[in-house]
């Protein structure tokens, strides 16, 4: 039985559900893993995660499709990206096939929390790993826990599909060199001050520029950028220091193969912004959220798509992507994992 939740009015917040997955790594091996009702994590005061932030995570979603199935979107890519994050942080990799199995089990165990088709909500899935044994010298932990919890969510940005205003950040995303392309807890902790400041000043997000030259567009605190040119091309920044968004990689395929657009994955100069017709943020949480205005120290760059609604091309991309995710449009081979 579906839980009695006001799905249509959910924001992006944590709601504790009944079940979660946990597997422990000890003596060089992962245990078999299990579903547990215990939402609490008990670790040493000196755990590697608490002292040296040895932790990383992933984010994906489960959906109820038009014909009533529960599915998730490209979990194999989250498995691979978590493995990349683990390698960069000297953590043991959780086997990629077991990751997908664990996602399936966790969603099955929380099936009553998967929002119904058409409700506007989805089930956010958060796999994560952390060093759990005491570490006092600066070195990797020997023991780890891999967990997955789920939480039903609505839109990530308050305005939903309303175009938002973002600002250019004076600071870098502050991910230590080479860690911007992994999902490490410490990377996000270093961006908290910038998001708090942005919100205080009335902006929804920060646009981060490349730290070396501050002339190229990178990403925001929680999503990649997409741009539409006035002649209808899809442009998205290429950089080794941004998170390789699964949504962005999928949209490149949607734009080219479903909508017949020219796709340019390349460096995007900040100077070019004024020439684009539409701008959006893309990610699991963000889906595609339109940007109407970018403010750079008082200088406003307003996209012709305006502040009232999502631009027409962004809307087509949004409808096609969500159509694929919710089973209204046939997906490319391997994109949809049926859970039940
Ligand atoms: N960039 C950052 C910094 C993020 O946190 C996210 C969210 O996961 C993304 C981009 C979008 O990635 P994905 O589409 O894989 O969710
Ligand atoms: C996601 O989209 O999964 C993310 O991790 C973004 C985060 C800001 C919620």
């Amino acid at each position: 039985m579906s839980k009695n939740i006001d799905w249509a009015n959910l924001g992006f917040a944590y709601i504790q559900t009944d079940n979660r997955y946990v597997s422990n790594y000890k003596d060089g091996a992962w245990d078999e893993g299990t579903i547990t009702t215990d939402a609490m994590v008990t670790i040493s005061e000196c755990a590697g995660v608490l002292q040296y932030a040895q932790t990383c995570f992933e984010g994906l979603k489960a959906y109820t499709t038009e014909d009533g199935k529960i599915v998730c979107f490209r979990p194999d890519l989250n498995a691979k990206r978590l493995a990349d994050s683990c390698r960069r942080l000297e953590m043991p990799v959780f086997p990629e096939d077991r990751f997908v199995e664990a996602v399936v089990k966790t969603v099955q165990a929380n099936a009553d929390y998967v929002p119904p088709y058409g409700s506007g909500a989805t089930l956010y899935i958060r796999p994560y790993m952390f060093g759990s044994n005491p570490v006092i010298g600066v070195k990797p932990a020997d023991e780890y826990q891999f967990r997955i919890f789920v939480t039903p969510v609505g839109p990530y940005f308050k305005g939903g599909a309303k175009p938002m205003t973002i600002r250019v950040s004076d600071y870098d995303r502050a991910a230590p060199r080479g860690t911007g392309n992994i999902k490490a807890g410490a990377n996000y902790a270093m961006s908290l001050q910038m998001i708090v400041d942005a919100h205080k000043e009335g902006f929804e997000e920060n646009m981060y520029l490349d730290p070396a030259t501050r002339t190229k567009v990178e990403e925001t605190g929680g999503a990649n950028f997409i741009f539409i040119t006035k002649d209808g091309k899809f442009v998205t920044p290429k950089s080794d220091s941004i998170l390789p968004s699964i949504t962005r990689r999928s949209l490149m395929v949607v734009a080219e193969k479903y909508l017949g657009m020219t796709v340019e994955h390349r460096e995007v100069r900040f100077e070019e912004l004024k020439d684009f017709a539409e701008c959006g943020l893309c990610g699991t949480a963000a889906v595609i959220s339109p940007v109407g205005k970018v403010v750079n120290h008082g200088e406003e760059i307003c996209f012709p798509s305006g502040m009232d609604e999502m631009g027409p091309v962004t809307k087509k991309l949004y409808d096609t992507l969500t159509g694929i995710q919710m089973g209204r449009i046939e997906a490319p081979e391997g994109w949809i994992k049926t859970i039940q």
Side-chain angles (χ1 to χ4, degrees):
M1 258 301 271
S2 193
K3 295 280 173 181
N4 185 18
I5 292 175
D6 182 8
W7 308 109
N9 290 307
L10 284 178
F12 197 89
Y14 173 73
I15 293 174
Q16 189 178 313
T17 72
D18 297 340
N19 296 295
R20 64 272 308 125
Y21 181 88
V22 53
S23 179
N24 290 295
Y25 182 89
K26 197 174 176 180
D27 301 327
W30 289 104
D31 68 14
E32 70 282 9
T34 184
I35 294 286
T36 169
T37 57
D38 189 358
M40 292 298 155
V41 175
T42 305
I43 48 175
S44 162
E45 62 189 356
C46 194
V49 57
L50 298 180
Q51 302 310 320
Y52 302 119
Q54 204 186 11
T55 177
C56 56
F57 64 99
E58 269 304 322
L60 67 160
K61 281 176 172 173
Y63 311 85
T64 304
T65 61
E66 195 170 23
D67 58 358
K69 291 204 288 274
I70 297 174
V71 302
C72 66
F73 186 69
R74 312 190 76 180
D76 51 321
L77 297 190
N78 296 96
K80 179 167 185 317
R81 194 170 60 188
L82 186 78
D84 290 341
S85 298
C86 288
R87 282 186 279 266
R88 180 63 180 78
L89 296 176
E90 290 295 337
M91 301 168 84
V93 165
F94 193 73
E96 293 180 32
D97 52 343
R98 285 197 57 196
F99 174 102
V100 174
E101 250 172 61
V103 166
V104 169
K105 278 191 191 146
T106 314
V107 175
Q108 282 170 345
N110 291 287
D112 296 347
Y113 289 93
V114 184
Y117 176 77
S119 65
T122 51
L123 188 75
Y124 186 71
I125 306 167
R126 176 50 67 89
Y128 60 112
M129 193 192 295
F130 51 87
S132 53
N133 69 303
V135 172
I136 192 68
V138 179
K139 66 179 177 71
D142 303 306
E143 294 174 16
Y144 294 84
Q145 196 162 98
F146 169 73
R147 299 178 71 101
I148 306 177
F149 69 78
V150 298
T151 184
V153 294
Y156 186 68
F157 295 105
K158 281 192 308 292
K162 265 274 191 241
M164 60 186 139
T165 303
I166 66 172
R167 68 163 191 187
V168 175
S169 172
D170 283 336
Y171 294 90
D172 304 333
R173 209 179 115 219
R177 191 175 285 271
T179 64
N181 60 354
I182 62 171
K183 281 175 84 79
N187 295 351
Y188 290 78
M190 294 306 285
S191 74
L192 294 177
Q193 191 174 53
M194 277 83 86
I195 194 66
V196 169
D197 277 356
H199 287 165
K200 256 190 228 152
E201 291 180 21
F203 301 107
E204 295 269 17
E205 253 294 4
N206 288 294
M207 168 183 277
Y208 293 107
L209 302 178
D210 73 296
T213 71
R214 295 191 55 78
T215 58
K216 287 171 277 186
V217 176
E218 296 247 288
E219 62 174 338
T220 65
N224 280 185
F225 277 105
I226 60 168
F227 300 100
I228 308 299
T229 63
K230 288 183 178 143
D231 59 355
K233 291 191 190 121
F234 178 103
V235 177
T236 188
K238 185 173 196 169
S239 161
D240 290 339
S241 54
I242 65 178
L243 195 77
S245 160
I246 293 164
T247 314
R248 186 260 300 160
R249 285 181 267 163
S250 304
L251 284 172
M252 289 169 64
V253 177
V254 166
E256 191 180 329
K257 301 276 192 276
Y258 285 68
L259 302 179
M261 297 170 71
T262 299
V263 170
E264 294 182 0
H265 184 210
R266 59 166 171 83
E267 287 186 345
V268 174
R269 285 173 299 110
F270 181 72
E271 274 302 301
E272 284 179 75
L273 279 192
K274 60 180 185 335
D275 302 324
F276 290 124
E278 298 177 34
C279 170
L281 306 184
C282 72
T284 298
V287 193
I288 306 180
S289 302
V291 175
K293 195 192 286 187
V294 179
V295 180
N296 183 22
H297 300 96
E299 176 209 0
E300 294 192 348
I301 298 147
C302 299
F303 297 103
S305 48
M307 296 302 292
D308 292 330
E309 56 188 12
M310 205 181 264
V313 180
T314 306
K315 179 81 168 69
K316 267 194 221 162
L317 287 160
Y318 178 91
D319 287 345
T320 312
L321 176 71
T322 53
I324 289 170
Q325 290 167 333
M326 316 241 174
R328 292 186 296 268
I329 297 175
E330 190 170 345
E333 176 84 37
W335 279 23
I336 299 295
K337 173 86 187 163
T338 302
I339 289 174
Q340 69 180 42

